[in-house]
Amino acid sequence: MGFVNRTDAGKWKAFWREPSGKQRSKTFATKREASAFLAQVETSKSGGMYVSPHAGRTLFEDHAHAWMASWNNEATTVARDTSIMRTHVLPQWGSWQLAKIDHLSVQAWVTELTGKLARSTVAECKRLTSGVLRSAVRNRLIGHNPAEDVKVPGRRVHDTDDKIVTRRQVRDLILPATPDRYRALVATAAFSGLRWGEVIALCMDAVDLDAGNVRVIRTVIEVAGSTSFKPYPKSRAGRRTVPLPAWVVSELRAHLERYPVEGPARMLFTNEAGGALRRTLFRARVWRPTLVRAGLLGNLEHAGDRFKATWTGRDGMAHAALWERERDAVAEIARYHHGGASFHDLRHSYGTWLADDGVPVNKVQRVMGHENVTTTLKFYVRKTEDHEAILGALGDDDPDDDGGALAAV
């Protein structure tokens, strides 16, 4: 049991022992306050909820580093979270004592970030901040997590989000505009629904052209500009066999004739040096210029003996420039045009094609490698707009015709 003594200065000091046996003390202005505090201490000790009033002096940065050192996540997750912690979280909270951080301060910070960063980045900042504080609660450094119930603004759907490309656009526009070395790569990704890391990781031991399928048994990860194999896919459901259309198999055969596999890994798709492709470089140098040449990103046209590049910036304003060489005009649009289909949108499109064609959702889930069918329904399968079907249900174009679907109204 604790006790209270009066100090020489006329104040009252409460003494108690922590569960570890270490004696602690705290000074109060009145005896009543000291006694009430001791009662709270004894209650928290008996309930196993004791938190030392001095533990909250630990700096957020010190506990954050200890928490991060305990991570056992995938390398890509660690790299992403470490970058966000270093760039956004620690500059804000690193010098704060844990006990000084309150809910209002965290909410104000998150609201401020919303005006500067993408919503997904803000959500990650909040998640990591809350993770540090939650760990501090579990380690009896603070009594509660002030980041709980902090609201992150909801995601707003923009016109540049999740583009669905049609099969005709892929075959008639995108593939003809794709550099020869990467044509089979784009065709395989579009008509198998494989993730970027999965399609880049395809080696000859996972490709059966006679059977017309590929097996997802590994993936390539990219951390700090370096690529490496991960000998298993994203999840248990990610390990799967995916059938390929006959014409894609033909594309792969032609690709292997032009670019024979080399090296011990026998990778199907490589860069010109024979190494694994890097996602960021592929996006900038191959994918977005391909969309420009396909007429699906910005606008490229002849202007006399020069080339006119027109694009829409992030500000929504139209911009234009003239170039002597076509490739410079293409590069300008690819670099500065805001939005456009991403490589991952090929995967979104694949799932949508299957759903629109009536493939059962459980089979779509399996071929896309989702652990949970709700992921298939919520994030990947987006039914395309079928205006013809809607207009057909409303009857023909005769304004005097009251028949069809409206007759029963």
Side-chain angles (χ1 to χ4, degrees), residues 60-61 64-65 67-91 121 124-125 127-129 132 223-224:
F60 181 96
E61 182 174 18
H65 286 306
W67 179 63
M68 294 164 64
S70 69
W71 288 348
N72 59 356
N73 300 325
E74 295 285 353
T76 50
T77 302
V78 171
R80 178 201 65 198
D81 289 355
T82 299
S83 176
I84 293 176
M85 286 286 288
R86 181 181 63 251
T87 306
H88 302 294
V89 178
L90 291 181
T121 304
E124 290 300 303
C125 291
R127 179 181 65 83
L128 291 171
T129 301
V132 175
V223 177

Side-chain angles (χ1 to χ4, degrees), residues 75-143:
T76 50
T77 302
V78 171
R80 178 201 65 198
D81 289 355
T82 299
S83 176
I84 293 176
M85 286 286 288
R86 181 181 63 251
T87 306
H88 302 294
V89 178
L90 291 181
Q92 170 66 27
W93 303 113
S95 61
W96 285 55
Q97 293 182 1
L98 292 171
K100 298 294 185 181
I101 301 175
D102 57 82
H103 180 275
L104 184 61
S105 298
V106 179
Q107 182 64 75
W109 174 63
V110 168
T111 302
E112 180 184 0
L113 288 182
T114 302
K116 303 176 181 178
L117 306 175
R119 187 266 175 194
S120 57
T121 304
V122 176
E124 290 300 303
C125 291
K126 185 260 183 180
R127 179 181 65 83
L128 291 171
T129 301
S130 183
V132 175
L133 297 172
R134 185 167 54 250
S135 174
V137 172
R138 291 174 177 172
N139 287 278
R140 299 291 189 267
L141 299 179
I142 53 178

Side-chain angles (χ1 to χ4, degrees), residues 254-334:
H255 174 82
L256 290 173
E257 290 179 2
R258 291 190 294 268
Y259 309 100
V261 294
E262 299 176 352
R266 305 191 71 206
M267 297 178 67
L268 186 59
F269 304 117
T270 63
N271 57 28
E272 294 181 357
L277 291 162
R278 289 176 54 188
R279 184 171 192 161
T280 50
L281 293 181
F282 182 87
R283 177 182 183 274
R285 299 177 181 178
V286 179
W287 177 249
R288 286 181 65 82
T290 292
L291 294 181
V292 176
R293 292 190 294 268
L296 299 176
L297 192 71
N299 185 57
L300 178 68
E301 58 185 355
H302 286 278
D305 59 348
R306 293 193 289 180
F307 296 89
K308 182 179 181 181
T310 306
W311 69 94
T312 302
R314 185 175 292 274
D315 56 3
M317 302 295 291
H319 304 270
L322 291 175
W323 295 88
E324 297 291 338
R325 297 186 301 179
E326 181 182 22
R327 69 177 185 180
D328 292 332
V330 169
E332 184 83 354
I333 298 172

Side-chain angles (χ1 to χ4, degrees), residues 243-261:
L244 298 174
W247 70 269
V248 175
V249 174
S250 298
E251 286 281 350
L252 289 174
R253 291 188 188 277
H255 174 82
L256 290 173
E257 290 179 2
R258 291 190 294 268
Y259 309 100
V261 294

Side-chain angles (χ1 to χ4, degrees), residues 189-212:
F191 287 85
S192 67
L194 268 61
R195 302 174 177 92
W196 166 262
E198 295 172 343
V199 72
I200 296 306
L202 285 176
C203 299
M204 291 308 298
D205 63 344
V207 179
D208 189 341
L209 296 183
D210 293 331

